[in-house]
């Protein structure tokens, strides 16, 4: 049994130390097999035993990573010779869609948009003296990875929801702390580069939305979009003993009594073309949809975002408001037909959230161990990437309203 196979098995079981030992060891092949066979068997068997229920999806993703390493082989050395670097250089469109979410051409367009921001000094909180880094070449020499590799590891983590231990094998960078810093810096760069991909529509665009929705559902004349809140489950926040603990870390602040778990809610508005046109991240899981709407900027500054008579299609969780169209609480006769039509009209926002979580599975592993700022930026970046995907590949919701 060769060392590459053992390293892959160790990587799948997320034991990076074992994998590096297998690849870097100068011992003979037989000695490596003797010393690691038992560890490998137990780890691989445990991993196989988890392939049931909800673990099947994650297991399929890890199978893709294993196939990738089988194809290119793990070769320790410079990052330029890593599995990820070879995938970026030699991968075809099918591999790019599998591991990055986009074809090769769209990946390059994204890279060109984000590259000017990636090359800037890594100053996420803008509190450093800009004179600290004056020479761009000197800065690039300090990088562990080339900018395209930094962008590639970010996209593959979003797409496959893999840990930094596995990414370290794919990039030949042993410091997971450096990889973590690179990842969050690139997320910020994506938000800056794709800022144009999510905007509230102007008057002409909203008029077009009204026409599209009215053509499909004649009963809704001034509907400009669909609104909803979606929960994203997180780990239980750390409990602070001090009375004046920040609100963001209190367990009761994030606890959702309806779902019986801790989560954050994402408040979003989706147009009939499948794009997110408004998104507010990091809302407390303890708040209901009606409260979130009342506290939103859309509601407070409704005269700026809506013309008289315009409204959003919502579910029964939202309260009665001038800019909200919600179903009847106790429908009778024609009211029941109205509720069914409204449910069909607002199915687009459900598809939007579903597409967001399927395209970027890392969102299903959001942890409150990450900083509150990071979680918000991560969700915002994924939503903008989804809009970018709709611009290039279209969306099922767009075809649904055009039928």
């Amino acid at each position: 049994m060769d060392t590459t196979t053992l390293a892959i098995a160790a990587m799948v079981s997320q034991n990076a130390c074992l994998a590096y030992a297998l690849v870097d060891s100068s011992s003979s092949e037989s000695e490596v097999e003797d010393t690691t066979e038992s560890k490998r068997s137990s780890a691989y068997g445990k991993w196989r035993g988890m392939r049931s229920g909800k673990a099947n999806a994650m297991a399929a993703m890890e199978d893709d990573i294993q196939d990738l390493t089988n194809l290119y082989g793990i070769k320790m050395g410079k990052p330029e010779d890593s599995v990820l670097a070879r995938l970026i250089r030699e991968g075809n469109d099918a591999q790019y869609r599998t591991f990055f979410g986009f074809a090769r051409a769209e990946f390059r367009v994204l890279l060109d948009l984000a590259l000017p921001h990636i090359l800037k000094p890594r100053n996420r909180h803008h509190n450093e003296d800009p004179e600290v880094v004056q020479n761009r070449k000197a800065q690039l020499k300090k990088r562990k990875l080339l900018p395209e590799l930094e962008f590639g590891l970010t996209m593959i983590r979003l797409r496959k929801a893999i840990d930094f231990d596995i990414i370290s094998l794919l990039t030949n960078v042993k410091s997971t702390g450096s990889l973590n810093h690179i990842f969050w810096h690139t997320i910020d760069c994506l938000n800056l580069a794709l800022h144009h991909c999510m905007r509230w529509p102007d008057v002409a665009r909203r008029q077009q939305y009204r026409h599209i929705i009215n053509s499909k559902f004649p009963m809704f004349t001034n509907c400009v979009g669909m609104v909803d809140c979606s929960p994203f489950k997180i780990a239980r926040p750390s409990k602070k003993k001090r009375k004046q603990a920040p609100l963001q870390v209190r367990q009761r602040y994030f606890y959702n009594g309806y779902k019986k778990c801790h989560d954050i809610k994402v408040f979003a508005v989706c147009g009939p073309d499948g794009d997110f046109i408004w998104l507010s991240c990091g809302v407390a899981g303890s708040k209901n949809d009606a409260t979130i709407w009342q506290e939103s900027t859309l509601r407070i500054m409704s005269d700026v975002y809506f013309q008289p008579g315009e409204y959003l299609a919502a579910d029964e969780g939202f309260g009665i408001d001038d800019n909200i169209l919600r179903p009847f609480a106790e429908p009778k006769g024609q009211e029941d037909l109205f509720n069914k039509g409204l449910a069909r009209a607002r199915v687009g926002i459900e598809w939007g959230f579903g597409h967001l979580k399927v395209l970027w599975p890392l969102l299903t592993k959001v942890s409150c161990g990450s900083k509150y700022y990071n979680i918000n930026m991560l969700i915002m970046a994924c939503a903008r990437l989804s809009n970018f995907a709709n611009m290039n590949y279209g969306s099922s919701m767009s075809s649904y309203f055009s039928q």
Side-chain angles (χ1 to χ4, degrees), residues 149-193:
L149 293 182
E150 295 183 2
F151 184 76
L153 76 86
T154 300
M155 296 301 296
I156 199 172
R157 175 163 164 77
L158 291 175
R159 182 65 173 155
K160 291 300 179 181
I162 54 179
D163 295 330
F164 288 111
D165 289 337
I166 300 178
I167 293 179
S168 66
L169 282 173
L170 300 180
T171 58
N172 290 350
V173 176
K174 295 186 179 181
S175 174
T176 56
S178 297
L179 295 174
N180 179 71
H181 186 73
I182 290 172
F183 173 79
W184 290 114
H185 171 71
T186 310
I187 290 296
D188 281 349
C189 295
L190 280 172
N191 279 309
L192 293 173

Side-chain angles (χ1 to χ4, degrees), residues 288-308:
N288 56 37
D289 294 356
T291 302
I292 295 173
W293 165 253
Q294 291 295 327
E295 295 177 354
S296 68
T297 308
L298 283 179
R299 169 65 179 81
I300 297 173
M301 303 178 63
S302 58
D303 56 336
V304 176
Y305 295 102
F306 298 96
Q307 287 186 316

Side-chain angles (χ1 to χ4, degrees), residues 13 21 48 83 123 152 387 390:
S13 64
R48 285 291 177 185
V83 174
N123 179 18
N387 286 357
N390 290 339

